[in-house]
Amino acid sequence: MIIVETDWRNLARKAIQGEALTREEALSVLRADDDELLAIMDAAYRVRRHYFGNKVKLNLIINAKSGYCPEDCGYCSQSSVSDAPIEKYTLLEKDILVDGAKKAMEMQAGTYCIVASGRGPTSRELDQVVAAVEEIKSTMPMKICACLGILSQEQANRLKQAGVDRYNHNLNTSEGHYSHITSTHTYADRVHTVETAKHAGMSPCSGVIMGMGETDEQLVDVAFSLHELDADSIPINFLNSIPGTPLAHLNDLDPRRCLKAIAMFRFICPSKEIRASGGREVNLGMLQPLALYAANSVFVGDYLTTEGQEATADHKMIEDLGFEIEQCAL
């Protein structure tokens, strides 16, 4: 391993002044000695504070449809190739989706994320989501993110017209590593869906899953790809290896590497919402609070088929840091 001496505060200065990092600088963050971790987080915090102060955005997910997915994504317990024992159900009724938004408000989440497994929504599923979104937007000051898979432009336009503010479709990994993760759709399909959502006027949300066997270079590749896509919100997920999935054998992450990666994304995408997302509890462990010196957003509550920590624990973590929950994400 080549150790490159880096002035971390200079990376912060470049990010704040709008100067692009080089690939070598990005790699140096990931490959830095653990002795440099606090200096890296200090530099990342300077960038985070410049754009977001000490505010933290809270997001809540509802698993609106579980299982029954024809895709073969190796990390996912809901995929066609997973033997994980999960609950399976078709798209939830409108009233349940609306109740989920009320729960989000109770947990102080400003963004409510409606997530459904599958390649893309059927006409009936789209109708149900549209109806729920229209009611939520007419009764609550809530930012809504939808994650329904691959969209046509007509479907994207309908979601925007209904009031969906943001659309999530993660790149997950780099183009060069993508075929190792799934074969039923392509990296280009992912990029096209993000562009389709942007064209409809929805804010693009797209991120990654660390720990799927990618190299440092591939993690840097996807960070720069998300910068080029101009994703407004970037969830950084950490593989939570689920028994019964093809990637269940992988357990390559440690908390320090995860923190360095979050910092790298902050330097490359300085003004964007960087979210410490799925798997943070498992992979960051006792170092979770440090993530918020680079990230400015977290999910509260449970994920799709795995449990998160109690929202009250997240609220206490934020309070103990001296940070502040952003009460309205609109």
Side-chain angles (χ1 to χ4, degrees):
M1 179 186 296
I2 299 174
I3 304 297
V4 180
E5 287 194 17
T6 304
D7 180 352
W8 308 117
R9 288 193 177 184
N10 186 53
L11 294 192
R13 178 195 61 78
K14 289 182 67 174
I16 290 170
Q17 294 181 357
E19 298 178 35
L21 260 67
T22 65
R23 287 184 55 83
E24 291 72 21
E25 288 170 330
L27 283 167
S28 75
V29 177
L30 292 179
R31 294 174 175 173
D33 190 86
D34 287 344
D35 292 347
E36 297 290 306
L37 179 60
L38 289 181
I40 291 170
M41 299 310 294
D42 171 70
Y45 175 60
R46 290 169 182 269
V47 183
R48 180 242 203 273
R49 185 178 58 189
H50 176 80
Y51 287 100
F52 300 101
N54 284 336
K55 290 190 175 180
V56 180
K57 301 174 185 288
L58 301 185
N59 297 248
L60 182 136
I61 290 175
I62 185 168
N63 190 7
K65 176 188 174 186
S66 184
Y68 301 115
C69 184
E71 306 298 290
D72 66 354
C73 304
Y75 54 85
C76 184
S77 59
Q78 302 185 75
S79 78
S80 62
V81 292
S82 169
D83 294 323
I86 62 165
E87 186 179 5
K88 295 185 179 182
Y89 50 83
T90 57
L91 192 73
L92 298 174
E93 295 298 326
K94 183 189 77 170
D95 290 348
I96 300 176
L97 296 177
V98 173
D99 285 343
K102 296 174 183 176
K103 178 182 177 183
M105 291 197 67
E106 292 170 0
M107 296 170 71
Q108 302 184 59
T111 301
Y112 177 52
C113 308
I114 300 173
V115 184
S117 61
R119 182 174 179 84
T122 65
S123 295
R124 185 186 66 82
E125 290 169 342
L126 194 70
D127 289 343
Q128 285 180 233
V129 171
V130 163
V133 170
E134 289 175 340
E135 181 167 337
I136 294 166
K137 296 296 283 189
S138 68
T139 57
M140 289 173 253
M142 176 73 62
K143 177 181 281 187
I144 296 180
C145 177
C147 178
L148 311 175
I150 295 171
L151 294 179
S152 68
Q153 192 62 62
E154 181 182 1
Q155 290 174 321
N157 293 342
R158 280 199 67 197
L159 290 171
K160 172 61 179 176
Q161 290 164 8
V164 173
D165 303 284
R166 172 182 290 170
Y167 196 79
N168 168 261
H169 201 63
N170 292 331
L171 295 187
N172 287 328
T173 193
S174 72
E175 184 173 15
H177 190 56
Y178 204 82
S179 63
H180 296 277
I181 304 306
T182 184
S183 66
T184 49
H185 60 267
T186 66
Y187 178 88
D189 291 330
R190 292 264 170 181
V191 172
H192 179 70
T193 297
V194 176
E195 295 287 7
T196 298
K198 287 171 63 176
H199 187 71
M202 291 183 286
S203 172
C205 174
S206 188
V208 300
I209 305 174
M210 284 184 64
M212 299 195 295
E214 72 281 348
T215 64
D216 289 347
E217 289 83 0
Q218 288 167 336
L219 191 56
V220 168
D221 284 344
V222 71
F224 278 106
S225 294
L226 289 166
H227 178 270
E228 292 166 12
L229 268 179
D230 200 26
D232 291 329
S233 178
I234 302 173
I236 302 176
N237 299 280
F238 313 94
L239 183 67
N240 185 354
S241 302
I242 300 174
T245 62
L247 298 187
H249 63 286
L250 291 179
N251 186 23
D252 298 334
L253 298 176
D254 64 64
R256 300 168 304 284
R257 175 170 173 78
C258 295
L259 289 171
K260 291 171 193 174
I262 298 171
M264 180 197 71
F265 275 88
R266 173 58 67 203
F267 293 134
I268 292 174
C269 304
S271 65
K272 304 302 187 179
E273 178 181 347
I274 305 292
R275 188 176 318 118
S277 299
R280 67 177 166 94
E281 297 87 351
V282 173
N283 288 286
L284 289 172
M286 299 301 289
L287 298 189
Q288 277 192 77
L290 286 178
L292 286 175
Y293 285 100
N296 65 301
S297 176
V298 294
F299 281 115
V300 291
D302 295 334
Y303 300 98
L304 295 176
T305 62
T306 58
E307 294 183 352
Q309 68 184 19
E310 290 292 329
T312 52
D314 286 326
H315 295 163
K316 186 67 165 62
M317 177 176 69
I318 292 165
E319 179 185 350
D320 287 351
L321 286 165
F323 289 2
E324 176 187 355
I325 296 172
E326 183 178 274
Q327 293 298 325
C328 183
L330 295 173

